[in-house]
Amino acid sequence: MTQPRPEPGQSLTFRKTLSVAEQGFFTGISGNLGGLYVDRRQAQAQGLPDMAVFELVAGALFTTALARLAGPDWRIGAISFRFARALTLGETLAATATVGATNGTLTFQLSGHVQDAQVIEGEARMVPVAPDV
């Protein structure tokens, strides 16, 4: 059963606070052992209060909002992010996807906030999983 297409302007926000354990899972998946992400002392020496959150982990939080808005008949065709600053463990990211155009593909504006500060912006395009959707 197909879900109705979302309407332009409709949005959804997914909030998550990333933990050390989740950082460890992504380290294992990605193999990225960059000091900012896995060494608290190195991150603090660079002026961060704690280890930096992997940017792709922060970006992945938007996929929850995209999937819930678009439904099961759509997959990500393209996604891009711009990060205003490093996010650190213990911060809560509010990842918001807002529907733009809905003709043939679905386009979204992405906006990530920590408290009242925008820290991520981007765009996504969802395409049908199967060509006949």
Side-chain angles (χ1 to χ4, degrees), residues 5-40:
R5 285 191 184 191
E7 296 294 324
Q10 188 177 353
S11 68
L12 192 139
T13 299
F14 178 68
R15 287 176 180 77
K16 179 127 180 70
T17 304
L18 291 165
S19 70
V20 172
E22 290 161 330
Q23 186 85 337
F25 288 134
F26 193 77
T27 300
I29 292 167
S30 70
N32 185 345
L33 297 173
L36 288 177
Y37 308 104
V38 300
D39 184 329
R40 184 168 280 131

Side-chain angles (χ1 to χ4, degrees), residues 39-88:
D39 184 329
R40 184 168 280 131
R41 287 186 184 156
Q42 187 172 344
Q44 290 171 337
Q46 295 293 323
L48 299 178
D50 203 338
M51 292 180 289
V53 169
F54 288 102
E55 289 84 359
L56 289 179
V57 169
L61 299 183
F62 289 94
T63 67
T64 299
L66 292 168
R68 289 179 183 174
L69 280 167
D73 297 327
W74 299 86
R75 65 174 183 80
I76 295 171
I79 195 165
S80 67
F81 302 106
R82 291 170 298 285
F83 297 88
R85 68 166 176 82
L87 301 172
T88 56

Side-chain angles (χ1 to χ4, degrees), residues 71-127:
D73 297 327
W74 299 86
R75 65 174 183 80
I76 295 171
I79 195 165
S80 67
F81 302 106
R82 291 170 298 285
F83 297 88
R85 68 166 176 82
L87 301 172
T88 56
L89 294 179
E91 289 187 303
T92 299
L93 178 65
T96 301
T98 303
V99 180
T102 60
N103 51 342
T105 63
L106 302 175
T107 61
F108 295 85
Q109 292 300 309
L110 308 175
S111 178
H113 288 79
V114 172
Q115 297 177 352
D116 291 332
Q118 183 173 356
V119 295
I120 303 171
E121 64 178 337
E123 300 81 33
R125 182 174 50 87
M126 304 287 281
V127 297

